[in-house]
């Protein structure tokens, strides 16, 4: 046996068993850490944040909420909201005897709603009545804000109403969310009997993408509801915002059999 072989043989015989055991344990720990990192990176929780999952649209039969499911791509559609200030850039809308113009009320509410949403990190396009951007508009939702007549009609001519386009999400989620939350925040009552053809066949519904849920809301009558419309536009805007956030699933909601919105059960 040569000298080199004798040295190697001697080293093997003198190797400490404890050192060998520690070396094996260390290699096992390194492999476990590597596998754990790989699993975390490729698991659904690593690909999707809670906010991203909440933004995935869903639709159930007869308005019932269905379980949220992961989309086929790890990048959900970005939120894009359009708010039309009714009559802005086109005409004055209703004009009251003292000169108050509907467009002034609409624009005040729309601008406040935009500010509230942007402050929460939600992007909003503030649009004119016949804005060129409406052609093919493809967003998360579109809402047009208007107010009703200055004329005295009767003592019951008070409250708000909402109408949506033909998109299924409008009837199943957007309109119910607006009705429930706007009523809760402002304490104005719904006035569905005064929904007109001009609302159900609103011109912007025909211009935007069919994939975009849309609605028009008349936030009150400029006669009997004048005080809250002119003195508390912030409250009116908050009612709008809460309705839109409901649609965006910032508040977990589900429709019950009566068509009202109720807190989701855990």
């Amino acid at each position: 046996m040569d000298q080199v072989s004798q040295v190697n043989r001697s080293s093997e015989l003198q190797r400490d068993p404890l050192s060998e055991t520690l070396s094996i344990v260390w290699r096992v720990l390194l492999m476990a850490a590597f596998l754990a990192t790989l699993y975390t990176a490729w698991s659904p929780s690593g690909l999707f944040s809670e906010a991203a999952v909440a933004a995935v649209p869903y639709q159930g039969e007869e308005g019932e909420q269905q379980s949220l499911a992961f989309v086929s791509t790890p990048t959900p559609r970005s939120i894009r909201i359009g708010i039309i200030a009714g009559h802005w850039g086109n005409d004055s809308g209703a004009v009251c005897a003292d000169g108050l113009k509907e467009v002034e009320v609409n624009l005040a509410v729309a601008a406040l709603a935009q500010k509230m949403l942007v402050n929460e990190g939600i992007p909003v396009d503030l649009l004119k009545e016949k804005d060129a951007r409406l052609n093919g508009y493809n967003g998360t939702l579109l809402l047009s804000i208007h107010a009703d007549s200055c004329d005295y009609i009767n003592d019951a001519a008070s409250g708000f109403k909402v109408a949506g386009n033909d998109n299924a999400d409008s009837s199943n989620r957007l309109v119910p969310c607006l009705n429930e939350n706007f009523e809760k925040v402002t304490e104005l009552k719904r006035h569905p009997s005064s929904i007109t053809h001009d609302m159900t066949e609103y011109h912007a519904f025909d211009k935007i993408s069919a994939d975009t849920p849309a609605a028009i809301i008349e936030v009150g009558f400029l006669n009997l509801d004048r005080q809250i419309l002119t003195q508390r536009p912030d409250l009116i805007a908050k009612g709008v915002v809460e309705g839109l956030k409901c649609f965006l699933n910032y508040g977990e909601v589900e429709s019950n059999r009566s068509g009202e919105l109720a807190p989701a059960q855990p």
Side-chain angles (χ1 to χ4, degrees):
M1 182 179 296
D2 59 32
Q3 186 175 1
V4 174
S5 298
Q6 288 177 354
V7 171
N8 290 339
R9 177 63 176 171
S10 176
S11 297
E12 290 176 1
L13 291 174
Q14 295 176 7
R15 181 173 296 172
D16 185 0
L18 178 60
S19 297
E20 181 71 18
T21 301
L22 291 175
S23 176
I24 293 172
V25 171
W26 177 246
R27 287 197 295 270
V28 170
L29 290 175
L30 285 176
M31 180 60 70
F34 173 76
L35 291 175
T37 301
L38 185 64
Y39 174 80
T40 300
W42 287 100
S43 65
S45 61
L47 292 173
F48 295 86
S49 66
E50 290 183 4
V53 173
V56 176
Y58 63 96
Q59 175 189 335
E61 295 180 358
E62 298 180 355
E64 293 182 354
Q65 180 175 324
Q66 303 297 307
S67 298
L68 293 178
F70 289 109
V71 291
S72 58
T73 170
T75 306
R77 184 176 69 171
S78 299
I79 293 176
R80 183 187 183 191
I81 292 178
I83 295 181
I84 299 174
H87 299 283
W88 182 37
N90 188 60
D91 57 65
S92 60
V95 181
C96 301
D98 63 351
L100 176 65
K101 299 176 181 178
E102 178 194 347
V103 66
E104 298 169 345
V105 174
N106 300 341
L107 183 55
V109 172
L112 284 168
Q114 180 197 37
K115 181 179 180 180
M116 292 176 186
L117 289 165
V118 169
N119 285 344
E120 296 197 32
I122 303 172
V124 178
D125 297 320
L126 187 59
L127 305 168
K128 297 181 179 180
E129 181 64 60
K130 295 187 177 180
D131 203 299
R133 290 174 289 175
L134 289 171
N135 296 318
Y137 189 88
N138 188 10
T140 311
L141 65 89
L142 176 78
L143 178 67
S144 184
I145 296 175
H146 289 254
D148 214 323
S149 175
C150 294
D151 300 331
Y152 174 79
I153 301 171
N154 54 48
D155 290 342
S158 171
F160 73 98
K161 59 260 195 178
V162 184
N165 66 350
D166 291 333
N167 186 287
D169 267 343
S170 296
S171 57
N172 288 343
R173 296 174 55 208
L174 181 55
V175 171
C177 273
L178 286 166
N179 275 328
E180 178 73 9
N181 287 275
F182 191 86
E183 184 176 51
K184 182 188 301 182
V185 172
T186 65
E187 298 186 350
L188 289 169
K189 299 302 180 183
R190 305 178 202 184
H191 202 276
S193 62
S194 60
I195 292 177
T196 63
H197 179 81
D198 288 338
M199 293 183 68
T200 57
E201 302 297 325
Y202 184 54
H203 71 89
F205 293 167
D206 294 329
K207 296 178 181 178
I208 64 176
S209 167
D211 294 331
T212 301
I216 176 173
I217 181 171
E218 294 208 353
V219 294
F221 287 78
L222 289 168
N223 190 293
L224 296 184
D225 302 320
R226 180 183 178 119
Q227 183 174 4
I228 189 173
L229 293 180
T230 58
Q231 297 182 21
R232 293 301 311 275
D234 58 319
L235 189 63
I236 300 297
K238 181 174 175 56
V240 168
V241 167
E242 291 304 312
L244 299 185
K245 287 168 62 179
C246 162
F247 177 82
L248 295 172
N249 294 322
Y250 279 77
E252 290 292 330
V253 294
E254 64 179 0
S255 296
N256 60 27
R257 294 184 182 277
S258 68
E260 301 295 331
L261 293 177
Q265 298 300 316

